[in-house]
Structure formats: C-alpha cells, structure tokens
C-alpha cells in the first residue's frame, strides 16, 4: 500500500471514491453557467463546489471542442446568463436614476466605562441620491432600443476637400521679436 493511501481519512476516502460521470459534471457546469452570467471560471468553481469534485476549465474546453451537444447547451446557457446580467444591470440603473436606499454595515465604538470601549457592527440605512450619469446611460440604451437618438446618413457621390494650411504660432517668438532681441525676456 502506498504512503498516500494510508493517510486518507475515512471522510476523505468517501469523497475521493465518489464517482461523477462526465455528463453529471457537464450538467452541473451548464446550470452554474446560467447563474454566473456566463463566466466560465465561476461556473467551474460553483459546479465543483456543488459536486464535491473538481470541474476544471481545461475539461470544459475539451468538452466544447469534442461534444456538439454540450457546446449547444453552453451557448444557450450563455444567452440566458447574458439576459439575466443585462436585466440586473438595467434594474440597478433604474434604481440609481430614482435614488435608492441601501444597507451598510458600520463599525461603531461604544464606551463601556472610563477606560474600556466595546466595538459593535451595526447595520445602517443609507440613501444614494439620483445619479445623472446612470440616467444618461439608461436613456441612451433605451433610446437606441426604441429607435431614438440614432441617425443614418447616406451619401452618394464624391467628397472633395481643399488644401488647408494651418500655422501654429509660438508665443515665445512673438515676445522675442517685440523686445528686439532674439531671446525671451523673463521679466
């Protein structure tokens, strides 16, 4: 018996000997992919945590390359994950345009007596006022979706340009010429 097998605890042995098939791992990965917004690394971690065995990114890429059915399920999961992510981002932008309350944990020091203090963590309700930039982002996305704010310019024919010469004046040269010298006067 090898040295490694002697040191495996009974609890670890049961996990080590538990066998998940590739389809089980693939199914766990696809389900996790939806919940992670299409992030493959996070989906691998979540599937690994769920199953108790590692689901590696290299395995996922191998499955994608060699299994068309799996690749199709991953593409569908990515679309669902993207839709969920966009929906969450949009709802956050809507909240930010209207102003929103949120809860934050704050550390507070309380005096117990003259020489002692106690630290507590309290939950505080805070308010974020409406944000102009969030409104601008939301409006540009919605306006584009509804057909506003976009212009299509079509041009047929020829565009001609004239030669334009641009001269940039050096303010130090002008000052030197005014002094009648070839140098800049520092006074």
């Amino acid at each position: 018996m090898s040295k490694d097998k002697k040191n495996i605890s009974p609890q670890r042995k049961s996990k080590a000997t538990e066998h998940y098939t590739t389809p089980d791992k693939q199914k766990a990965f696809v389900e996790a992919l939806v919940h992670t917004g299409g992030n493959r690394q996070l989906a691998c971690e979540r599937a690994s945590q769920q199953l108790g065995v590692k689901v590696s990114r290299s395995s996922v890429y191998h499955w994608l390359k060699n299994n068309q059915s799996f690749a199709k399920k991953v593409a569908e999961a990515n679309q669902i994950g993207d839709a969920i992510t966009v929906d969450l981002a949009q709802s956050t932008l809507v909240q930010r345009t209207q102003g929103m309350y949120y809860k934050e944990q704050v550390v507070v020091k309380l005096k117990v007596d003259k020489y002692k203090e106690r630290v507590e963590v309290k939950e505080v309700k805070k308010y974020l006022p409406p944000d102009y930039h969030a409104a601008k982002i939301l409006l540009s996305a919605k306006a584009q979706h509804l057909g506003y704010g976009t212009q299509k310019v079509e041009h047929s024919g020829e565009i001609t340009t004239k030669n334009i010469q641009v001269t940039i004046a050096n303010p130090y040269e002008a000052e030197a010429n005014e002094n009648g010298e070839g140098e800049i006067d520092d006074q």
Side-chain angles (χ1 to χ4, degrees), residues 33-38 77-95 137-138 141-142 145:
L33 195 60
V34 169
H35 297 289
T36 60
N78 278 331
Q79 287 179 339
I80 294 168
D82 289 348
I84 291 169
T85 302
V86 167
D87 190 47
L88 287 172
Q90 183 179 3
S91 67
T92 301
L93 280 172
V94 168
Q95 287 177 338
I137 292 167
L138 183 64
K142 284 293 191 178
H145 174 70

Side-chain angles (χ1 to χ4, degrees), residues 135-171:
K136 188 176 176 181
I137 292 167
L138 183 64
L139 183 60
S140 67
K142 284 293 191 178
Q144 187 178 21
H145 174 70
L146 297 173
Y148 296 105
T150 57
Q151 292 181 350
K152 288 186 180 181
V153 177
E154 291 185 24
H155 177 76
S156 61
E158 208 173 288
I159 298 176
T160 59
T161 59
K162 295 181 180 180
N163 289 337
I164 299 172
Q165 184 176 3
V166 176
T167 305
I168 300 173
N170 185 345

Side-chain angles (χ1 to χ4, degrees), residues 76-136:
E76 290 170 1
N78 278 331
Q79 287 179 339
I80 294 168
D82 289 348
I84 291 169
T85 302
V86 167
D87 190 47
L88 287 172
Q90 183 179 3
S91 67
T92 301
L93 280 172
V94 168
Q95 287 177 338
R96 290 294 291 127
T97 61
Q98 298 170 350
M100 61 186 266
Y101 286 96
Y102 68 99
K103 293 179 182 176
E104 185 176 291
Q105 291 186 347
V106 179
V107 177
V108 180
K109 287 184 181 180
L110 301 170
K111 277 197 168 194
V112 175
D113 61 29
K114 188 175 180 180
Y115 300 106
K116 291 184 181 180
E117 290 182 338
R118 185 179 75 214
V119 177
E120 284 187 8
V121 177
K122 290 190 174 191
E123 198 167 83
V124 178
K125 188 175 181 180
K126 292 192 173 183
Y127 179 72
L128 278 174
D131 184 6
Y132 165 77
H133 296 292
K136 188 176 176 181

